[in-house]
């Protein structure tokens, strides 16, 4: 099977070389090169830049509603300037506060950490690291970006309509999201949210099928599955998770559109609004929760796995040591992939779930800690006694491990149904998933950007700004989210605009102020990173060597600024795994270097 695959990839490569030579004399226009490009590297940049724009928007929303949370009794003219009647008198209205939280969650979970992270690094690294000229279908690849772009336009437009964006929470639970008369945020904004999500899911399915076919069919000669870098394995499992779980949310979104617009009752039954008995019968709001979380939990790992793969690669390269336990890392990726589909109902312990069924989901939820722990131990052992180079990418990778450990430990609390009944929908849940999924994945993404920026743009990011970016973000993230655990243990609910009216919830005003101030500082530092990013594209220090980090993987065998087709001549042949560091007295041995007579094989 491996031979057939390699022959096939060789044939494809030959065809690609011929194709390049044949079209070499055509002059590319700006539009064909940068807008309707089919080059996987350009598409990666499109995903990254769009993701950065969305991250600024989503992050800004959180800073604005933190102002309201930290200083509930004060008015801020900037809020009225930005939001008009939604923040009349400089204070955010309760219904608009909920809309801001909805858009913040939607934008960062789906548009930044799913499309921005996977879209960027799967596109950039899969062909380069397996030795392929491009994706299996460059046209579908281009299409996946443009569906994402259309989804972005639809989602963004909902912020500017008269009734405001969707305000059903980022999960959009019915009946609130299914009934137009429930409030302004349930009117047109909710329709745009659902259409935007449907377009986004189509984009992810096109991309995922492309990634899977490319990895299975287009590896270069000698690149067996067990010689692939862990980054490619992680992106492969991510694509499999997405292809299997995203259609479920697509069905939920379409059925919810039907309930809203053509009078069906998939999620509605026995509802009275303002004394009016609605005709809907037979639906179940809990059904939507099942459909949402059947994607929603794999989604956590769709976001985390690419970060895990990149962190494995970056820690190995920068500690100058082979990755510890390559096969154990693969096994744990596979186990996470399987278990991710079996734990969705731990989000539903308080929906009236049968307690026995709940106990099954508790067991499966706690089991997922085992492969996660294997990965953590292997990362720490890779670092142990390594000759570590503390580049900004290394620091962000180590920061990822720290956040993954501390955020994962709090998951043991909320994964236990008896404790979750107290903690559910409190600030504890907000703290847990922001640390383990949100901030940790951002750290993986930052590590990837700092590490592969030279391959993307032929220049380096500014390291001094990189170190400042890391330390402020690392310390700030813990100062923002760690105290929220204590608020949650005290029973403070999430999504409350102003807690000052409740004596029992009013014990943390100073803490809320501190979190708000730190949020503003951390957001400002992200803007500094954005400046560093765009400035370095044009003015950064130029890369002068093909392999600036001394890495073994194939992307560093291409020219400094690879063209469409990646390699100028033949695609390199692979002779060894990706982690031959510190072997036979040599610091690193690239994958395309033949194995010597006296050398041990891997």
């Amino acid at each position: 099977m491996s031979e057939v695959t390699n022959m096939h990839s060789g044939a494809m490569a030959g065809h690609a070389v011929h194709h390049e030579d044949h079209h070499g004399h055509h002059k590319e226009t700006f539009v064909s090169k940068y807008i309707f490009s089919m080059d996987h590297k350009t598409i990666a940049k499109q995903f990254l830049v769009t993701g950065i724009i969305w991250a600024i928007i989503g992050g800004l929303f959180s800073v604005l509603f933190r102002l309201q949370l930290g200083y509930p009794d004060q008015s801020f003219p900037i809020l009225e300037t930005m939001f008009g009647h939604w923040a009349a008198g400089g204070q955010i209205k309760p219904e608009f506060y909920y809309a801001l939280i909805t858009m913040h969650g939607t934008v960062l979970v789906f548009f930044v950490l799913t499309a921005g992270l996977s879209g960027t690094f799967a596109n950039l690294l899969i062909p380069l690291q397996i030795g392929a000229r491009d994706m299996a279908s460059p046209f579908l690849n281009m299409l996946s970006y443009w569906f994402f772009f259309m989804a972005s336009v639809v989602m963004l437009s909902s912020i500017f309509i008269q009734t405001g964006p969707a305000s059903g929470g980022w999960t959009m639970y019915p009946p609130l999201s299914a009934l137009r008369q429930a409030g302004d945020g349930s009117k047109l904004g909710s329709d745009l949210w659902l259409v935007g999500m449907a377009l986004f899911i189509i984009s992810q399915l096109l991309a995922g099928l492309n990634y899977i076919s490319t990895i299975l069919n287009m590896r270069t000669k000698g690149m067996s599955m067990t010689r692939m870098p862990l980054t490619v394995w992680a992106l492969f499992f991510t694509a499999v998770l997405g292809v299997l779980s995203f259609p479920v949310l697509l069905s939920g979104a379409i059925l919810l559109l039907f309930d809203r617009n053509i009078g069906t009752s998939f999620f509605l039954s026995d509802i009275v609004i303002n004394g009016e008995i609605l005709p809907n019968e037979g639906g179940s709001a809990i059904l939507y929760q099942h459909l949402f979380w059947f994607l929603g939990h794999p989604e956590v790992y769709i976001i985390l796995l690419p970060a895990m793969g990149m962190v494995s690669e970056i820690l190995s390269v920068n500690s100058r040591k082979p990755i510890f336990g390559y096969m154990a890392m693969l096994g744990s990726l596979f186990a996470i992939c399987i278990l991710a589909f079996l734990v969705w109902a731990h989000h539903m312990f308080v929906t009236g779930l049968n307690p026995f069924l709940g106990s099954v989901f508790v067991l499966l939820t706690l089991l997922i800690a085992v492969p996660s722990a294997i990965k953590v131990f292997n990362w720490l052992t890779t670092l142990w006694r390594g000759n570590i180079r503390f580049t900004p990418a290394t620091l962000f990778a180590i920061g990822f491990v720290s956040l993954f450990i501390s955020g994962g430990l709090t998951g043991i609390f909320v994964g236990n149904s008896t404790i979750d009944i107290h903690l559910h929908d409190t600030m504890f849940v907000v703290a847990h998933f922001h640390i383990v999924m949100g901030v940790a994945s951002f750290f993986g993404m930052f590590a990837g950007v700092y590490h592969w920026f030279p391959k993307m743009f032929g220049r380096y990011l500014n390291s001094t700004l990189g170190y400042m970016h890391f330390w402020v973000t690392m310390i700030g993230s813990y100062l923002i989210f760690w105290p929220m655990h204590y608020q949650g243990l005290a029973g403070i609910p999430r999504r409350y605009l102003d807690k000052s009216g409740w004596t029992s919830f009013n014990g943390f005003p100073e803490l809320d102020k501190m979190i708000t101030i730190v949020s503003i500082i951390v957001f400002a530092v992200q803007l500094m990173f954005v400046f560093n990013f765009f400035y370095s594209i044009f003015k950064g220090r130029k890369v002068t060597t093909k392999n600036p980090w001394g890495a073994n993987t194939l992307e560093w065998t291409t020219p400094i600024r690879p063209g469409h087709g990646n390699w100028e001549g033949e695609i390199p042949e692979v002779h060894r795994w990706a982690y031959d560091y510190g072997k036979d007295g040599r610091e690193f041995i690239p994958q395309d270097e033949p194995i010597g007579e006296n050398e041990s094989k891997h």
Side-chain angles (χ1 to χ4, degrees):
M1 178 64 194
S2 169
E3 288 303 313
V4 173
T5 307
N6 288 334
M7 284 168 61
H8 175 67
S9 61
M12 291 291 289
H15 171 73
V17 172
H18 175 73
H19 180 78
E20 283 299 308
D21 293 344
H22 182 65
H23 288 286
H25 60 274
H26 283 306
K27 187 82 180 93
E28 281 188 309
T29 63
F30 179 85
V31 173
S32 69
K33 186 170 183 183
Y34 292 108
I35 299 178
F36 296 109
S37 173
M38 294 193 204
D39 180 0
H40 68 98
K41 299 181 292 298
T42 306
I43 294 169
K45 292 172 193 173
Q46 289 173 323
F47 270 108
L48 182 56
V49 171
T50 313
I52 286 173
I53 293 165
W54 268 121
I56 295 168
I57 295 168
L60 182 63
F61 286 164
S62 67
V63 167
L64 294 172
F65 65 65
R66 277 298 336 168
L67 274 180
Q68 184 70 44
L69 284 169
Y71 301 91
D73 50 347
Q74 291 187 27
S75 63
F76 295 92
I78 186 174
L79 295 177
E80 188 167 12
T81 307
M82 291 189 73
F83 298 127
H85 71 283
W86 294 113
Q91 286 194 311
I92 295 173
K93 287 188 178 175
E95 58 268 33
F96 189 65
Y97 172 77
Y98 208 33
L100 278 180
I101 283 195
T102 302
M103 295 307 286
H104 165 74
T106 305
V107 161
L108 289 173
V109 170
F110 295 112
F111 287 60
V112 180
L113 290 173
T114 304
L117 185 53
S118 287
T120 300
F121 291 103
N123 269 304
L124 177 72
L125 295 177
I126 288 173
L128 285 171
Q129 290 199 335
I130 65 169
R133 295 279 178 198
D134 207 318
M135 286 289 175
S137 172
F139 177 73
L140 277 189
N141 205 22
M142 177 186 79
L143 220 52
S144 78
Y145 172 73
W146 285 107
F147 268 105
F148 170 51
F149 185 81
M150 285 193 292
S152 297
V153 170
V154 171
M155 195 63 79
L156 194 61
S157 66
S158 73
I159 297 168
F160 298 101
I161 58 174
Q162 189 176 357
T163 50
S167 66
W170 75 279
T171 54
M172 288 294 276
Y173 283 171
L176 182 62
S177 60
L179 299 168
R180 292 179 177 280
Q181 55 270 59
D184 279 348
S186 296
K187 294 189 167 70
L188 179 59
S190 287
D191 287 320
L192 290 171
W193 190 97
L194 292 164
V195 171
M197 281 308 298
L199 290 167
F200 168 81
I201 291 167
I202 293 166
S203 150
Q204 293 304 298
L205 292 174
L206 290 172
L209 291 168
N210 220 343
Y211 304 153
I212 293 166
S213 344
T214 306
I215 292 168
L216 292 180
N217 296 320
M218 296 185 67
R219 302 190 306 282
T220 186
K221 187 177 180 187
M223 179 64 82
S224 62
M225 294 291 273
T226 50
R227 283 180 177 169
M228 292 196 311
L230 287 170
T231 320
V232 177
W233 271 110
L235 293 165
F236 174 71
F237 282 125
T238 302
V240 170
L241 280 173
V243 165
L244 294 176
S245 62
F246 267 118
V248 180
L249 181 61
L250 183 61
S251 67
I254 290 169
L255 296 181
L256 192 50
L257 273 171
F258 287 173
D259 273 12
R260 289 173 54 78
N261 296 299
I262 59 174
T264 55
S265 297
F266 291 105
F267 307 127
L268 295 172
S269 185
D270 308 321
I271 291 178
V272 180
I273 289 192
N274 296 332
E276 176 198 356
I277 301 173
L278 299 188
N280 305 83
E281 281 184 19
S284 165
I286 302 293
L287 169 62
Y288 177 86
Q289 289 197 29
H290 280 293
L291 293 175
F292 183 89
W293 288 115
F294 193 79
L295 160 90
H297 205 83
E299 169 68 14
V300 171
Y301 292 100
I302 288 169
I303 288 171
L304 270 171
L305 288 183
M308 288 176 168
M310 292 191 294
V311 162
S312 305
E313 180 76 18
I314 291 163
L315 290 180
S316 179
V317 170
N318 288 304
S319 60
R320 313 313 287 154
K321 277 178 65 184
I323 191 79
F324 184 87
Y326 177 87
M327 292 310 289
M329 289 294 237
L330 283 193
S332 58
L333 279 173
F334 182 65
I336 287 171
C337 205
I338 299 296
L339 287 166
F341 282 108
L342 303 176
V343 295
W344 80 90
H346 70 205
H347 296 270
M348 301 173 61
F349 287 145
V350 295
T351 57
L353 192 70
N354 179 309
F356 173 73
L357 199 55
S359 67
V360 173
F361 278 98
V362 169
L363 174 66
L364 292 166
T365 302
L366 297 181
L367 267 181
I368 211 164
V370 177
S372 301
I374 289 170
K375 300 194 83 59
V376 166
F377 290 131
N378 286 4
W379 287 323
L380 295 177
T381 319
T382 302
L383 287 167
W384 177 251
R385 293 195 168 176
N387 185 17
I388 304 171
R389 297 181 305 204
F390 289 103
T391 65
T394 316
L395 289 174
F396 274 107
I398 295 170
F400 170 88
V401 178
S402 163
L403 289 155
F404 186 68
I405 294 169
S406 54
L409 287 172
T410 56
I412 296 169
F413 290 70
V414 284
N416 188 315
S417 57
T418 47
I419 303 173
D420 183 65
I421 287 167
H422 172 67
L423 295 175
H424 188 82
D425 247 352
T426 67
M427 295 299 287
F428 191 95
V429 175
V430 175
H432 160 69
F433 82 76
H434 272 85
I435 286 182
V436 78
M437 185 183 92
V439 184
S441 301
F442 260 113
F443 269 57
M445 192 172 180
F446 286 137
V449 171
Y450 280 102
H451 188 72
W452 280 289
F453 190 89
K455 182 47 59 188
M456 280 185 177
F457 299 104
R459 294 176 185 267
Y460 295 100
L461 282 160
N462 183 297
S463 291
T464 308
L465 292 179
Y467 292 128
M468 288 167 60
H469 178 211
F470 168 75
W471 285 111
V472 177
T473 309
M474 181 74 180
I475 295 164
S477 300
Y478 274 118
L479 285 176
I480 291 167
F481 296 112
W482 202 253
M484 289 185 190
H485 290 99
Y486 302 109
Q487 293 183 320
L489 288 167
I492 292 185
R494 62 179 179 171
R495 297 177 179 164
Y496 273 38
L497 172 79
D498 179 4
K499 302 182 279 286
S500 56
W502 283 270
T503 309
S504 52
F505 297 155
N506 200 15
F508 297 96
E510 296 306 314
L511 190 59
D512 273 327
K513 282 180 188 168
M514 186 275 285
I515 292 172
T516 298
I517 291 163
V518 177
S519 301
I520 294 167
I521 294 167
V522 170
F523 181 69
V525 170
Q526 307 319 307
L527 294 180
M528 184 187 78
F529 163 75
V530 173
F531 166 77
N532 187 7
F533 180 86
F534 287 108
Y535 179 82
S536 298
I537 290 174
F538 302 105
K539 300 283 187 181
R541 184 166 56 92
K542 285 188 176 178
V543 177
T544 54
T545 168
K546 272 189 188 180
N547 191 354
W549 310 125
N552 293 339
T553 41
L554 292 180
E555 74 267 31
W556 305 108
T557 63
T558 62
I560 291 171
R561 294 291 298 269
H564 194 170
N566 298 336
W567 287 270
E568 286 168 345
E570 291 290 314
I571 295 178
E573 186 178 328
V574 170
H575 299 278
R576 57 182 74 235
W577 74 325
Y579 301 102
D580 270 343
Y581 294 101
K583 184 179 179 186
D584 299 334
R586 294 177 61 185
E587 192 185 348
F588 68 100
I589 312 176
Q591 276 189 286
D592 60 337
E593 187 173 311
I595 292 177
E597 287 181 19
N598 302 321
E599 196 180 335
S600 55
K601 292 188 179 182
H602 200 291

